[in-house]
mmCIF file of all heavy atoms in Angstrom:
data_model
loop_
_atom_site.group_PDB
_atom_site.id
_atom_site.type_symbol
_atom_site.label_atom_id
_atom_site.label_comp_id
_atom_site.label_asym_id
_atom_site.label_seq_id
_atom_site.Cartn_x
_atom_site.Cartn_y
_atom_site.Cartn_z
ATOM 1 N N ILE A 27 103.701 93.924 108.829
ATOM 2 C CA ILE A 27 104.804 94.750 109.320
ATOM 3 C C ILE A 27 104.973 94.608 110.824
ATOM 4 O O ILE A 27 106.001 94.914 111.344
ATOM 5 C CB ILE A 27 104.705 96.192 108.844
ATOM 6 C CG1 ILE A 27 103.393 96.818 109.348
ATOM 7 C CG2 ILE A 27 104.826 96.329 107.368
ATOM 8 C CD1 ILE A 27 103.332 98.320 109.070
ATOM 9 N N VAL A 28 103.928 94.131 111.488
ATOM 10 C CA VAL A 28 103.995 93.796 112.934
ATOM 11 C C VAL A 28 103.045 92.634 113.152
ATOM 12 O O VAL A 28 102.110 92.371 112.334
ATOM 13 C CB VAL A 28 103.597 94.972 113.862
ATOM 14 C CG1 VAL A 28 104.555 96.109 113.770
ATOM 15 C CG2 VAL A 28 102.209 95.452 113.627
ATOM 16 N N TYR A 75 96.136 101.387 114.047
ATOM 17 C CA TYR A 75 96.196 102.319 112.977
ATOM 18 C C TYR A 75 95.397 101.796 111.762
ATOM 19 O O TYR A 75 95.522 100.627 111.428
ATOM 20 C CB TYR A 75 97.631 102.585 112.526
ATOM 21 C CG TYR A 75 98.502 103.303 113.520
ATOM 22 C CD1 TYR A 75 99.673 102.745 113.957
ATOM 23 C CD2 TYR A 75 98.082 104.538 114.025
ATOM 24 C CE1 TYR A 75 100.426 103.395 114.912
ATOM 25 C CE2 TYR A 75 98.906 105.219 114.952
ATOM 26 C CZ TYR A 75 100.049 104.661 115.381
ATOM 27 O OH TYR A 75 100.814 105.289 116.269
ATOM 28 N N ILE A 90 96.704 98.098 111.580
ATOM 29 C CA ILE A 90 98.023 97.795 112.110
ATOM 30 C C ILE A 90 98.070 98.096 113.589
ATOM 31 O O ILE A 90 97.895 99.230 114.013
ATOM 32 C CB ILE A 90 99.107 98.572 111.360
ATOM 33 C CG1 ILE A 90 99.035 98.231 109.866
ATOM 34 C CG2 ILE A 90 100.489 98.261 111.938
ATOM 35 C CD1 ILE A 90 99.913 99.031 108.989
ATOM 36 N N PRO A 91 98.293 97.054 114.399
ATOM 37 C CA PRO A 91 98.373 97.265 115.866
ATOM 38 C C PRO A 91 99.537 98.154 116.243
ATOM 39 O O PRO A 91 100.625 97.993 115.657
ATOM 40 C CB PRO A 91 98.558 95.831 116.436
ATOM 41 C CG PRO A 91 98.337 94.891 115.321
ATOM 42 C CD PRO A 91 98.499 95.664 114.030
ATOM 43 N N VAL A 95 105.847 101.221 118.965
ATOM 44 C CA VAL A 95 106.277 102.187 117.957
ATOM 45 C C VAL A 95 105.105 103.054 117.552
ATOM 46 O O VAL A 95 104.055 102.568 117.345
ATOM 47 C CB VAL A 95 106.854 101.449 116.736
ATOM 48 C CG1 VAL A 95 107.243 102.418 115.617
ATOM 49 C CG2 VAL A 95 108.016 100.563 117.114
ATOM 50 N N GLY A 97 103.227 106.330 115.327
ATOM 51 C CA GLY A 97 103.182 107.166 114.115
ATOM 52 C C GLY A 97 103.771 106.454 112.880
ATOM 53 O O GLY A 97 103.746 105.211 112.788
ATOM 54 N N PHE A 98 104.349 107.264 112.013
ATOM 55 C CA PHE A 98 104.875 106.723 110.787
ATOM 56 C C PHE A 98 106.064 105.822 110.947
ATOM 57 O O PHE A 98 106.387 105.068 110.053
ATOM 58 C CB PHE A 98 105.256 107.901 109.837
ATOM 59 C CG PHE A 98 104.070 108.678 109.329
ATOM 60 C CD1 PHE A 98 103.828 109.969 109.745
ATOM 61 C CD2 PHE A 98 103.161 108.070 108.464
ATOM 62 C CE1 PHE A 98 102.707 110.672 109.273
ATOM 63 C CE2 PHE A 98 102.043 108.720 107.993
ATOM 64 C CZ PHE A 98 101.840 110.076 108.398
ATOM 65 N N ASN A 99 106.655 105.838 112.151
ATOM 66 C CA ASN A 99 107.787 104.902 112.378
ATOM 67 C C ASN A 99 107.414 103.483 112.227
ATOM 68 O O ASN A 99 108.256 102.641 111.909
ATOM 69 C CB ASN A 99 108.373 105.186 113.761
ATOM 70 C CG ASN A 99 109.129 106.477 113.850
ATOM 71 O OD1 ASN A 99 109.684 106.910 112.851
ATOM 72 N ND2 ASN A 99 109.130 107.097 115.013
ATOM 73 N N ILE A 100 106.120 103.144 112.418
ATOM 74 C CA ILE A 100 105.656 101.781 112.305
ATOM 75 C C ILE A 100 105.889 101.300 110.841
ATOM 76 O O ILE A 100 106.128 100.128 110.599
ATOM 77 C CB ILE A 100 104.214 101.612 112.721
ATOM 78 C CG1 ILE A 100 103.926 100.133 112.993
ATOM 79 C CG2 ILE A 100 103.225 102.156 111.680
ATOM 80 C CD1 ILE A 100 102.712 99.889 113.816
ATOM 81 N N LEU A 101 105.881 102.211 109.880
ATOM 82 C CA LEU A 101 106.036 101.844 108.487
ATOM 83 C C LEU A 101 107.477 101.539 108.166
ATOM 84 O O LEU A 101 107.777 101.081 107.018
ATOM 85 C CB LEU A 101 105.488 102.945 107.581
ATOM 86 C CG LEU A 101 103.997 103.189 107.747
ATOM 87 C CD1 LEU A 101 103.582 104.420 106.905
ATOM 88 C CD2 LEU A 101 103.188 101.974 107.427
ATOM 89 N N LYS A 102 108.381 101.728 109.101
ATOM 90 C CA LYS A 102 109.796 101.401 108.892
ATOM 91 C C LYS A 102 110.099 99.901 109.131
ATOM 92 O O LYS A 102 111.140 99.453 108.790
ATOM 93 C CB LYS A 102 110.690 102.256 109.768
ATOM 94 C CG LYS A 102 110.651 103.756 109.373
ATOM 95 C CD LYS A 102 111.534 104.558 110.265
ATOM 96 C CE LYS A 102 111.423 106.031 109.918
ATOM 97 N NZ LYS A 102 112.199 106.873 110.820
ATOM 98 N N HIS A 103 109.113 99.204 109.696
ATOM 99 C CA HIS A 103 109.315 97.779 109.943
ATOM 100 C C HIS A 103 109.413 97.072 108.587
ATOM 101 O O HIS A 103 108.765 97.465 107.657
ATOM 102 C CB HIS A 103 108.143 97.175 110.706
ATOM 103 C CG HIS A 103 108.100 97.603 112.169
ATOM 104 N ND1 HIS A 103 108.105 96.710 113.180
ATOM 105 C CD2 HIS A 103 108.112 98.811 112.762
ATOM 106 C CE1 HIS A 103 108.042 97.305 114.328
ATOM 107 N NE2 HIS A 103 108.089 98.607 114.108
#
Side-chain angles (χ1 to χ4, degrees):
I27 59 174
V28 296
Y75 292 123
I90 302 175
V95 176
F98 291 111
N99 288 331
I100 199 161
L101 298 175
K102 294 179 182 177
H103 288 236

